[in-house]
Amino acid sequence: QFQLVQSGPEVQKPGSSVRVSCSTSGGTFSSYTFNWVRQAPGQGLEWMGRIIPILGTSNYAQKFQGRVTFTADKSTNTAYMEVTSLTSEDTAVFYCARSLGSAHFLDYWGQGTLVTVSS
Amino acid sequence: DIQMTQSPSSLSASVGDSVTITCQASHDISNYLNWYQQKPGKAPNLLIYHASSLHIGVPSRFSGSGSGTDFTFTITNLQPEDFATYYCQQYDDHLITFGQGTRLDIK
């Protein structure tokens, strides 16, 4: 059974950075694309971008370009998202979600990681 | 960038009712339109992909249709577990955009 398991909740201070991990089990890591989605409290879903580990390429939504970095470690089957220069507006649940190859739908999701930015 | 307009933002219905949600894209996206269900405190779940294909394990009371710019999502014979928030999601030029969401409440 394929699963995405994300790292635990984080509390960070404004101006700092946070890295969230997303590990896979039950599948072939290099076959997948990993998308990242942000959801602020009480708000909708916001796609941040994706990383394609087999190609080593990433796409970023314009809003997050320059402040967000996606990486992937094929040796540990884990994808990462780092956000720098955190502000209170970054308080949100961050999800990783899988898509297959060039598919445009997100068929498996991690459980979400709550990041709280507070002084 | 493409804009997605999802409506209504909320609606109320009773068990056994049918409901329809619409999503409109600002330009032609073929059938690159998907639908998700999200319950409070949980990750979204894929229900419909390619506008009308039912994801594995999703009950047949869920359906989707449309292509180009106008899409609809319908739930027939509403069940208690269907009361949740629903999102459309489009794919265009390598970018993904979600609709604003529709909260479905019990009347």
Side-chain angles (χ1 to χ4, degrees), chain A residues 39 47 50 95 104 106 110, chain B residues 32 34 36 38 50 89 94:
Chain A
Q39 187 170 39
W47 183 76
R50 71 168 68 83
Y95 294 101
H104 55 89
L106 312 181
Chain B
Y32 293 132
N34 312 305
Y36 300 83
Q38 186 180 32
H50 290 167
Q89 172 248 307
H94 305 292

Side-chain angles (χ1 to χ4, degrees), chain A residues 72-96:
Chain A
D73 184 340
K74 287 178 274 190
S75 68
T76 60
N77 294 341
T78 303
Y80 297 92
M81 178 205 64
E82 182 175 27
V83 184
T84 60
S85 303
L86 289 166
T87 72
S88 59
E89 292 186 359
D90 291 311
T91 293
V93 175
F94 293 84
Y95 294 101
C96 65

